[in-house]
Amino acid sequence: MNKILIEITGTQRVDNQKSKMELTTVGTIEETADTYIVNYTEEQEPPVEPVKVCVKIQKDEKRVEMIRSGPFDSCLIIEKSKRNLCPYGTEYGDILMGISGHTIDSEYSYDNGNFLFSYDIDINGALVSRNEVKMRLKNQNTE
């Protein structure tokens, strides 16, 4: 596993409004024969516990799995041109969301990498938002 600096930019479009979230943190990346596995922790405002995030990106760019563990767990599965029903934890209980994947791009070498994935979220078949996540990684072992 390599220690990495992770810069994440998330864009969400709801109706005609766009919001952007940016996060810079330190994490790890592990490379298997067919998958990149990125792990990091999102710190929350006290008293909320931190959220552990694991993002698994298949090298063939067919699937991304985002697993969040903390006060509320979720597992989003993004596959190109496919809709998956995924559980998403909230303070009021779990909801089942439809995740329709559009784009998955990955580029990684030992020194750095870029990942991009986009997807729509629907609840009961009604579009809630269009989302895009960009992850930029920089290897911290070489400094």
Side-chain angles (χ1 to χ4, degrees), residues 8-11 36 38 40 53-58 61-67 76-80 99-106 114-120 130-137:
I8 301 168
T9 303
T11 306
Y36 301 108
V38 179
Y40 62 92
V53 181
C54 178
V55 182
K56 298 178 182 178
I57 304 122
Q58 286 187 346
E61 299 179 343
K62 290 185 179 177
R63 179 182 168 112
V64 173
E65 189 174 332
M66 295 189 324
I67 304 163
L76 301 185
I77 297 172
I78 303 162
E79 293 181 280
K80 286 183 179 179
I99 306 296
S100 299
H102 297 293
T103 305
I104 301 172
D105 290 321
S106 63
N114 292 292
F115 300 106
L116 168 73
F117 36 99
S118 63
Y119 56 96
D120 292 346
R130 296 187 181 274
N131 305 274
E132 181 180 85
V133 176
K134 295 178 183 176
M135 297 177 73
R136 184 170 181 238
L137 312 179

Side-chain angles (χ1 to χ4, degrees), residues 11-15 17 97-98 100 102 119-123 126-131:
T11 306
Q12 184 178 55
R13 289 183 175 84
V14 178
D15 297 323
Q17 297 186 5
M97 300 188 312
S100 299
H102 297 293
Y119 56 96
D120 292 346
I121 297 177
D122 71 77
I123 298 177
L127 181 65
V128 174
S129 65
R130 296 187 181 274
N131 305 274

